[in-house]
Amino acid sequence: MKKIILIAAAAILTISAGAQNKFAHVNFSELVQLSPEADAARQTMNASSQEANETYAAMVEEFNTKYQTYQTKASSWTQAIRESKEKELTEIQQRINEFSQSIQVELNQQQETLMAPIYQKAGDIVKELAKKGGYIYVFDVNTPLYFDASQSDDLTPAARKALNIPDDRTLESLQAELQAQAQAAQQQQ
């Protein structure tokens, strides 16, 4: 009988302790993407990407110009000149391919470098808010298989405020901004 009472008491304590556990959720992607630092990172990335595209376009233009010259004059050139021009075209193609591969790696590394402190800052703020609020778990709304938002506190608004994200700034408005910038960039070309 004592064992049953002890087991029941332990179960009641476990249930009551579990009822005090606090859970929260946050839209981490929103925090990162809408932060002012992310805007600066996107501007830096866009500038780097534009420079890379301009360099790539200049290399392709050089190849096309030399290839057109080769096509129009190849029949009048000696074998040695023709072979020299073919070698030159092959080298330009190789440079274009190498540049394309290396610039993609560099741009990815630059993005990781620029975004790492943003992820860190957002993570630190979520941790700070969770500790202050006494939460034992904070879930990212973008990754769970299921969660009931009504039984979890949303830390996203408090984290947005701590990250200085304006109330009227949303993922939809960011998407519209980015589309407008892309369209403006296309019109300039």
Side-chain angles (χ1 to χ4, degrees):
M1 182 74 166
K2 283 185 178 181
K3 287 183 184 181
I4 294 174
I5 294 174
L6 286 175
I7 291 172
I12 291 171
L13 286 174
T14 303
I15 291 170
S16 66
Q20 294 175 5
N21 291 340
K22 291 175 68 177
F23 299 95
H25 62 275
V26 66
N27 188 334
F28 197 74
S29 177
E30 178 180 324
L31 298 177
V32 170
Q33 291 179 31
L34 296 180
S35 71
E37 294 89 349
D39 290 338
R42 273 190 292 278
Q43 287 178 341
T44 300
M45 285 302 304
N46 287 342
S48 296
S49 184
Q50 184 175 353
E51 288 176 28
N53 288 337
E54 290 170 0
T55 301
Y56 180 81
M59 294 171 82
V60 169
E61 185 178 330
E62 176 190 10
F63 174 82
N64 289 338
T65 301
K66 291 186 178 193
Y67 183 69
Q68 287 174 352
T69 301
Y70 173 83
Q71 284 184 318
T72 56
K73 295 183 178 182
S75 59
S76 65
W77 287 336
T78 65
Q79 181 69 24
I81 293 174
R82 200 168 34 252
E83 287 176 2
S84 173
K85 297 294 183 179
E86 288 170 359
K87 182 179 177 185
E88 182 180 12
L89 288 170
T90 301
E91 289 172 355
I92 293 171
Q93 276 184 317
Q94 287 174 343
R95 281 196 342 253
I96 291 172
N97 290 337
E98 289 171 2
F99 175 78
S100 180
Q101 291 171 358
S102 68
I103 197 64
Q104 195 59 47
V105 169
E106 286 181 26
L107 290 174
N108 288 340
Q109 288 174 342
Q110 183 184 34
Q111 182 175 13
E112 288 176 19
T113 301
L114 291 171
M115 295 302 290
I118 298 167
Y119 280 101
Q120 182 68 44
K121 181 178 179 182
D124 290 346
I125 285 177
V126 169
K127 287 176 190 172
E128 180 182 323
L129 290 170
K131 286 179 182 178
K132 283 182 183 177
Y135 297 100
I136 60 169
Y137 290 105
V138 176
F139 299 97
D140 185 352
V141 298
N142 296 305
T143 56
L145 296 175
Y146 171 80
F147 85 95
D148 184 353
S150 67
Q151 296 186 34
S152 173
D153 294 331
D154 186 0
L155 295 181
T156 305
R160 284 177 59 112
K161 186 174 183 176
L163 288 167
N164 298 319
I165 298 172
D167 290 339
D168 62 343
R169 187 127 195 250
T170 64
L171 290 174
E172 292 79 17
S173 67
L174 172 63
Q175 187 66 21
E177 285 176 34
L178 296 175
Q179 286 176 348
Q181 289 173 359
Q183 288 174 349
Q186 278 184 332
Q187 290 175 353
Q188 289 178 346
Q189 294 177 354

